[in-house]
Amino acid sequence: MKRRIPLLLAIVALLVIAPLLYHLVVDQNPDEMKIKDVLVTNDQTNVLVYARLSHFPPDIEKAILAGVSTTFSFKIEFYRKKKHWFDERLAQLEIIKNIKYDQAKKKFYVTSTFPQTAEAFQEFAMARLAVAEINGIPVVNMKNLSRDQDYYARIKLAWENYRLPFYAEFLRIFLSFRDFETDWQIQPFRLQT
């Protein structure tokens, strides 16, 4: 019985310390993409969301510069906080951006689903900025909100760095490139007067 107590304490300590160490290591990973500078505000008609991606890790930059078509998907959700019940989702949308480098023409092509655009850039820095930012995306109409309620928006990014033909999709598990998703970033919101 006396031998089991130290073993039990060691197991409990490991279960408590391991998640803390994991978060310290993950938070200090410089190559990890994150959503940052999230701003939720409103104009006279809509709630607007602004955000940007922290950076592109070197592997993603290399893939893009090698001509790999890369798709980024910003997922935005807007909630009304509820006491004693689940929060109510008022809006959910996805903004898909794609970047493709044409090595022959030395141009970066960026498309976006919102606003629906297709642009060409000579410089990678400008193309990266067009992909990595969402600016003033209308999420929900102000008529659906009330001043005495608390709200919040949450946003995350998923990316898929290549698309194989349907019959070759099983090969993805053997390739070094992989799909990725950031953590949700949550930003509270109250109506501006």
Side-chain angles (χ1 to χ4, degrees), residues 119-131:
E119 299 175 282
F121 298 93
Q122 292 290 118
E123 298 175 13
F124 183 48
M126 296 302 292
R128 180 175 44 213
L129 191 62
V131 170

Side-chain angles (χ1 to χ4, degrees), residues 78-90 149-150 152:
F78 190 79
Y79 288 87
R80 178 190 329 257
K81 284 190 175 183
K82 295 272 192 172
K83 291 183 180 179
H84 312 296
W85 196 244
F86 297 108
D87 293 344
E88 178 186 5
R89 185 171 58 202
L90 300 176
Q149 292 283 316
D150 289 325
Y152 64 92

Side-chain angles (χ1 to χ4, degrees), residues 91-109:
Q92 176 181 8
L93 55 120
E94 183 175 28
I95 298 160
I96 299 170
K97 297 189 175 198
N98 181 274
I99 183 170
K100 171 88 170 118
Y101 181 55
D102 186 332
Q103 293 176 334
K105 294 181 181 176
K106 304 276 190 231
K107 284 189 177 182
F108 296 90
Y109 295 95

